Structures are given as structure tokens and as C-alpha cells.
Amino acid sequence: MGKLSGKVAWITGAGTGIGLAGAKALAQSGATVVMSGRREDVLAPEAAQIRAGAGKAEVAVLDVADSAAVARVAEGILARHGRIDILVNSAGVNTTNRFWKNQTAEGWREVVGINLDGTFYTTQAVLSAMRARGDGVIINVSSWAGVFHPRLTGPAYNGSKHAVTAMTETINMEEGVNGIRACTICPAEVATPILDRRPVPPSAEQRAKMLQPQDLGDVIRYVAELPPHACINQLIISPTLNRIYIENL
């Protein structure tokens, strides 16, 4: 029996990277995890692997930029389980053409639609049920670019992640009185597939020195397992060898 036994956790971006690591860690702690992402062929085998390890995992295919679809998935989870105790917003994207010289309106809308709008839609979809229970944990994966201003990530990503960081704290402002806690996790470089969309993707040697998805999974689990009276508002984490400090990326 893990600390999260009996809890239901909904994780977006759960097919790969930080979202997948978070889903695995929460399932290991006893939570039933509902894994959302855009590709069932990616999600289904990962959920099966969690179940093979005696965890509880479901798949709910979702594009978080679609507000109506988000509402339907949330309603489905609540109909099946009667609760959503933990929401992890890990769906995120950036474009290769990400600087003012080549950023397009279409690329801007994709990044903001997933990183910011999607986080708003899922949060809005769970708050009512959390209020009714007087308890809930919302964990939003922002970025180093949601606190600082790295050049590498570009205006759409930086803007969306700063907005996620600010928006998350308003949840604590308004909903703490209802027993709801929100945390923004702001990692520097993590070795996830999003790195492949950089103009110059880092090498395997460079990725090996970055934070790994499991590191963030452990952080997500730690935040979710805290007692109801404790809230980590924001957590900034970086690799010990933080290339943002020493290189012109």
C-alpha cells in the first residue's frame, strides 16, 4: 500500500518524458493513473507496462489544446472513479523555428495552445470536483524558461512557461481555502524527446549530464505525497552541470 493508494491521478503528456516518468512514479505509490496524450499507440504500451508491474493505469487520448475534449475526458474520469485527486500538467511543446526571425503565427499558436491554454483547460476541468472534496493537488510542469529568460527557447515557449508559473500561483491564492494545493516545477535541461526539436539537438553525451525524466518523476511523486497542510508553491531544479550557465546554447 503506497502513500497514494486510493488516489486518482490524471497526467497529460504521459506518453514520454516527464509525464511518463510522473505516471510511473505515482502508480508505484499506489495511485490509479489516467494517462493522456495525443497518440494511443505511444500511451497504450506504457500503460500496459505499468499494469504488468501491478500498477493501475488507464489511457485517455487527448489533445489538451481542445477545450471540449479536455472537458469530456475529465467528465469520463469522474464518472468512472468519482474523483480526481492529482492533476499533473506535463504536456508541452516547442517549435524548431522559435526565434523572432523565423517564428510563425502558426507555431506561436501551437506552443501557447498546448503549454498555456491546455494547462488552463485541464485545471478548470478538475477544480469543481476538488472543491467538493476539499482536497486536491495540481502539479504544473513549467520550465527554467518559466522563471528566467534563456535565449535558447524563444518567445513563444518563454512566454507560455512564464504564464504557467504565474497562473499556478493564482490557484493557491484562490483555492488554498478550499484545500487545493498547486505547485509549479521548473526544470532546466531534461533529457526528453522535446530536445529533438531544437535547432541544434544536443548530443547523447550532453544529454547524459542533464536531468533525467526519472528525476522529475521522483519530484512529482514527492510533491503529490506531501500531507494536505503542506504546499510547495514552486520548485526550481537543474542539473549540477547547468549548461545554461556556462554555454551559449
Side-chain angles (χ1 to χ4, degrees):
M1 298 290 286
K3 288 186 177 181
L4 300 178
S5 180
K7 303 285 189 181
V8 175
W10 182 21
I11 304 100
T12 70
T16 61
I18 296 171
L20 176 57
K24 290 179 177 178
L26 296 178
Q28 288 167 0
S29 187
T32 296
V33 296
V34 181
M35 302 169 65
S36 284
R38 289 184 286 187
R39 294 182 56 188
E40 186 170 11
D41 63 318
V42 173
L43 291 164
E46 297 294 353
Q49 186 175 9
I50 290 173
R51 291 193 294 268
K56 300 176 181 178
E58 302 173 2
V59 169
V61 176
L62 175 66
D63 178 354
V64 296
D66 183 339
S67 60
V70 169
R72 286 194 299 271
V73 169
E75 289 166 4
I77 299 169
L78 292 169
R80 292 193 303 276
H81 299 286
R83 60 197 295 162
I84 298 174
D85 301 282
I86 303 159
L87 170 66
V88 180
N89 281 304
S90 186
V93 71
N94 202 353
T95 60
T96 301
N97 296 327
R98 61 183 59 180
F99 303 115
W100 284 109
K101 65 183 179 182
N102 57 17
Q103 175 76 73
T104 65
E106 181 182 17
W108 173 276
R109 286 192 297 270
E110 179 189 11
V111 173
V112 174
I114 292 173
N115 295 1
L116 177 58
D117 294 348
T119 299
F120 168 77
Y121 296 146
T122 56
T123 301
Q124 185 183 49
V126 303
L127 279 177
S128 180
M130 288 183 173
R131 288 189 199 109
R133 294 186 61 82
D135 184 41
V137 181
I138 297 171
I139 301 171
N140 293 331
V141 179
S142 180
S143 170
W144 188 268
V147 181
F148 305 105
H149 306 284
R151 178 185 181 278
L152 171 71
T153 38
Y157 192 86
N158 286 20
S160 65
K161 291 299 189 177
H162 270 270
V164 167
T165 301
M167 184 181 71
T168 303
E169 191 54 25
T170 66
I171 300 169
N172 291 320
M173 292 175 188
E174 297 185 28
E175 302 294 343
V177 295
N178 297 316
I180 299 169
R181 303 166 276 154
C183 175
T184 313
I185 299 176
C186 302
E189 289 186 300
V190 186
T192 69
I194 197 173
L195 298 179
D196 295 331
R197 301 192 77 178
R198 285 188 177 176
V200 181
S203 67
E205 181 181 3
Q206 290 169 326
R207 296 183 198 217
K209 296 178 182 179
M210 297 178 184
L211 293 169
Q212 301 302 305
Q214 183 57 51
D215 301 326
L216 276 298
D218 291 341
V219 170
I220 289 169
R221 176 176 176 169
Y222 175 75
V223 172
E225 287 183 343
L226 285 172
H229 66 270
C231 173
I232 296 179
N233 299 56
Q234 183 181 104
L235 193 155
I236 302 172
I237 180 170
S238 68
T240 302
L241 180 63
N242 191 345
R243 298 192 314 142
I244 297 171
Y245 287 152
I246 62 176
E247 294 187 20
N248 182 21
L249 298 179

